[in-house]
Amino acid sequence: MPRSQHSISRDDISPNALKVLYRLHGSGHQAYLVGGCVRDLLLGHHPKDFDVVTDATPEQIKGLFRNCRLIGRRFRLAHIVFGREIIEVATFRGHHQVEDNDRAQTSQQSEAGQLLRDNVFGSIEEDAERRDFTVNAMYYNIADYSIRDFANGRDAIAKKQLELIGDPETRYREDPVRMLRAVRFAAKLDFTITARASDPIPELADLLSNVAPARLFEEVIKLFINGAGVATFKLMHQYHLFGQLFPQIQPLLENPEGKEYQFLLKVLANTDNRINSGLRVTPAFFYAAVMWYAVEERQEQHMSEGGFNRHDAFIMAMNDVLHRQMQRIMIPKRFTAVIRDIWLLQHRLPKRFGKRAWVTLEHARFRAAYDFLVLRGEVEGGEIAEVGQWWTEFQDAGAPQRKKMLANLRGRDGKPARRKRHFHNKKS
Ligand code: ATP
Ligand code: MG
C-alpha cells in the first residue's frame, strides 16, 4: 500500500519512534513500525506504544543508540529509552527448523509444541509469518511511508475480524497465550474472532497451564486493566479460558445471576469506567475481587469442618486461596500485600465503635477497601450496603456530624464488647 492509499500520517507517530526509524534507515538498515501501532493507527485509535522491527541485529542496534538496553531471553530485544517513553526494537524473526543445527541452538520447543526460545533471525517475510493475527502483520516502512501487508490485514480491519495466521491449532500450541490475545483484541477492538480461530480454543484452553505464572500475571493485567474488562471477561467465560487462569473461582461463576458473577461484573465495569475516565487502578483491587467469595467460602469451611473461630478461619482462608491462585499466576508481593489489606478491612469497616472508625479512616488502603465494600453492598444489599452508606456519609460529614454518627451507632447497636469476642481485631 503506497502512502497515497492509506491514512497513516507521520503526525500520528511518536516523535521518538520516528527518530529511531530514521536513525536505523540512515545507517543502511531496514526499519518498520509493526504490530499493534500500525493496526491501531489504521483504525483511527491512539496506539499504546510504538514497536519497531529492523534487519539490524541487537548488537548493531546497541551500537547505534546510546540510550539502548538489550533485554529478554525468550525474545532478545532492544529498548531505546527516551525518558518515560520506551521504543522497542526487534530484529526480524525467522522460522524454526529443529533439524538445522545452527538454529537448534537458538530455538527450542517443548513436547506440547510450545516455543521456549525464539531467537532465530530471518527476513521480513518470515517475521510476518511468525506474528499472531493478520491485523498484527502490517509493516509501515520509513523508507517510503508505504505499508507492507503480508496477510491481508487491511481486509480483516474492514470486516472487523480477528484471523489467525497459519494453522490455528499449531499456533495455539506454539504459544497458548495467543488464545488470551485473541479474546483481548476481540474485546478491545470490538472485532469478532473468525470461527477458524475461535473453534479450537475451548479444546486447547488447558494448554495455558504450561505458561509461566509470571508471564500470566502480565497477561492478566492486559486482559482486565485495559478499559474493556467486562467484554474480555465474557469472552473468556464463553471460551473456557477464565477457569484456566482461576480454577478455584470458576465453580462459583456457574450461575450468572449469582452474587459472585454479578460482583465480578460490577468490579470490571467499575475498572473500565475508571480507566476510560483516566483514573488510577490497581491490579490488586481486581485480584481481591476475583478471589473474595472463594475466601469467604473457604472461611466457612474452616469454621464448620475445622472448628476454627471466625477470625482464624478468615486468615487461613486468605492464605489458602492466595496460595492456590499463585500456582497459576505469580502475583508479586507488593500486590498480595494490598489484596490482604483490602480483605482484612472488609471485616474492620463494619466495626466503627470508639476510636475504630478514625483508625480505619487513616488506613493506607481505606479508599480501596471502602470502594470494594460499596460494590459488595450493591450485590449483597443488607448490612453490607448499610455499612457502605454509613461510610459514604461519614467521609463527607464535618466533625460535629461525625461525632453524632458515631454516637447514634452506639445507641443503635450497643454492646461493642460483645462483638469483640466474635472477631478480635488485631492491628495488622
Ligand atoms: P497492544 O495494543 O496490546 O500493544 P500489540 O498487537 O501491539 O497490542 P504486543 O504485545 O505489543 O501487542 O505485540 C506487538 C506485536 O508483536 C503484535 O502485534 C504481534 O505482531 C507480535 N506478537 C506479540 N505477541 C505475540 C505472540 N504471542 N505470538 C505471535 N506474535 C506476537
Ligand atoms: Mg504493542
Side-chain angles (χ1 to χ4, degrees):
M1 264 185 263
R3 173 66 190 92
S4 58
Q5 283 173 34
H6 68 74
S7 57
I8 297 183
S9 145
R10 268 162 291 161
D11 293 341
D12 305 325
I13 300 171
S14 137
N16 292 325
L18 286 172
K19 261 187 238 166
V20 171
L21 290 165
Y22 282 127
R23 172 84 56 91
L24 285 163
H25 181 60
S27 318
H29 294 291
Q30 300 177 45
Y32 297 85
L33 286 179
V34 66
C37 59
V38 179
R39 175 197 73 214
D40 290 348
L41 288 172
L42 287 174
L43 283 165
H45 300 171
H46 206 72
K48 213 169 60 199
D49 40 41
F50 290 85
D51 296 329
V52 171
V53 273
T54 175
D55 58 355
T57 63
E59 281 68 29
Q60 287 174 320
I61 300 165
K62 185 149 179 65
L64 287 173
F65 298 94
R66 259 189 314 121
N67 46 340
C68 173
R69 280 199 311 250
L70 296 187
I71 58 139
R73 182 113 71 88
R74 239 175 123 263
F75 306 122
R76 226 165 129 66
L77 292 171
H79 274 178
I80 319 292
V81 184
F82 297 90
R84 283 173 52 200
E85 188 179 19
I86 292 176
I87 307 295
E88 201 170 279
V89 185
T91 308
F92 294 138
R93 288 209 300 277
H95 289 298
H96 294 263
Q97 284 157 351
V98 185
E99 63 276 9
D100 178 335
N101 270 339
D102 271 0
R103 288 188 168 187
Q105 298 250 316
T106 42
S107 98
Q108 225 183 324
Q109 207 165 10
S110 78
E111 272 172 36
Q114 198 175 342
L115 292 178
L116 302 176
R117 228 169 337 123
D118 194 5
N119 264 332
V120 182
F121 300 135
S123 64
I124 189 169
E125 288 82 5
E126 288 176 308
D127 187 272
E129 282 179 39
R130 308 255 331 103
R131 300 204 169 254
D132 46 8
F133 300 97
T134 62
V135 291
N136 286 348
M138 292 187 279
Y139 296 69
Y140 173 88
N141 189 352
I142 200 63
D144 59 5
Y145 316 123
S146 66
I147 291 175
R148 300 187 66 179
D149 179 6
F150 290 94
N152 203 2
R154 177 182 237 185
D155 192 44
I157 282 188
K159 293 184 182 152
K160 302 189 88 183
Q161 274 187 351
L162 213 56
E163 178 61 285
L164 204 54
I165 296 174
D167 170 58
E169 180 164 345
T170 311
R171 300 312 306 281
Y172 290 141
R173 283 188 184 281
E174 281 175 359
D175 183 4
V177 165
R178 288 173 186 149
M179 294 185 273
L180 299 178
R181 292 173 58 86
V183 295
R184 168 155 71 90
F185 293 133
K188 181 75 192 171
L189 306 173
D190 194 21
F191 276 32
T192 49
I193 312 175
T194 64
R196 207 182 138 268
S198 64
D199 285 350
I201 294 181
E203 241 342 69
L204 300 175
D206 65 357
L207 291 171
L208 282 167
S209 60
N210 300 331
V211 177
R215 184 169 177 216
L216 285 181
F217 178 75
E218 298 299 323
E219 291 301 324
V220 164
I221 290 184
K222 293 185 205 162
L223 284 163
F224 296 109
I225 318 279
N226 68 5
V230 170
T232 305
F233 168 70
K234 288 183 173 167
L235 286 173
M236 287 188 68
H237 203 58
Q238 179 187 338
Y239 291 120
H240 302 188
L241 292 166
F242 193 80
Q244 291 300 324
L245 300 187
F246 300 97
Q248 52 183 345
I249 317 305
Q250 184 60 36
L252 300 178
L253 300 175
E254 297 305 327
N255 172 17
E257 306 302 320
K259 66 177 182 195
E260 295 87 354
Y261 191 101
Q262 288 301 316
F263 179 56
L264 193 48
L265 273 195
K266 267 200 192 298
V267 167
L268 288 169
N270 187 258
T271 305
D272 289 350
N273 284 337
R274 289 185 67 99
I275 292 172
N276 297 327
S277 28
L279 293 172
R280 238 178 53 89
V281 296
T282 164
F285 194 89
F286 163 75
Y287 277 106
V290 175
M291 292 180 273
W292 171 251
Y293 289 110
V295 173
E296 285 210 321
E297 195 182 78
R298 196 84 184 97
Q299 178 191 22
E300 290 301 323
Q301 244 174 32
H302 280 308
M303 287 164 66
S304 62
E305 290 166 21
F308 293 97
N309 71 35
R310 204 158 252 299
H311 178 262
D312 292 349
F314 187 69
I315 302 296
M316 286 163 67
M318 291 202 309
N319 291 338
D320 290 350
V321 172
L322 264 176
H323 179 76
R324 280 195 61 194
Q325 185 57 57
M326 301 275 274
Q327 293 169 351
R328 276 297 153 104
I329 302 178
M330 224 305 287
I331 308 169
K333 252 221 175 77
R334 65 182 189 282
F335 294 116
T336 56
V338 180
I339 295 168
R340 285 171 190 278
D341 278 346
I342 292 174
W343 285 344
L344 285 166
L345 281 163
Q346 297 310 298
H347 288 294
R348 278 220 236 157
L349 284 163
K351 300 181 195 319
R352 293 149 288 173
F353 310 102
K355 291 206 173 71
R356 287 178 174 185
W358 304 104
V359 175
T360 300
L361 194 58
E362 291 302 312
H363 194 287
R365 302 297 162 203
F366 169 79
R367 189 68 211 193
Y370 157 77
D371 287 342
F372 194 96
L373 186 96
V374 167
L375 291 171
R376 281 177 61 208
E378 285 177 22
V379 295
E380 291 180 40
E383 199 195 339
I384 300 297
E386 277 172 36
V387 173
Q389 182 58 36
W390 188 92
W391 277 107
T392 306
E393 284 168 29
F394 191 72
Q395 288 175 83
D396 283 345
Q401 172 69 9
R402 283 179 169 183
K403 263 197 190 134
K404 217 192 281 166
M405 286 179 76
L406 286 168
N408 285 346
L409 204 61
R410 202 181 313 267
R412 209 186 52 202
D413 294 346
K415 299 179 195 154
R418 202 179 56 101
R419 292 208 157 207
K420 221 171 185 168
R421 244 189 2 233
H422 281 283
F423 188 97
H424 34 117
N425 190 13
K426 292 194 197 99
K427 274 187 202 161
S428 57

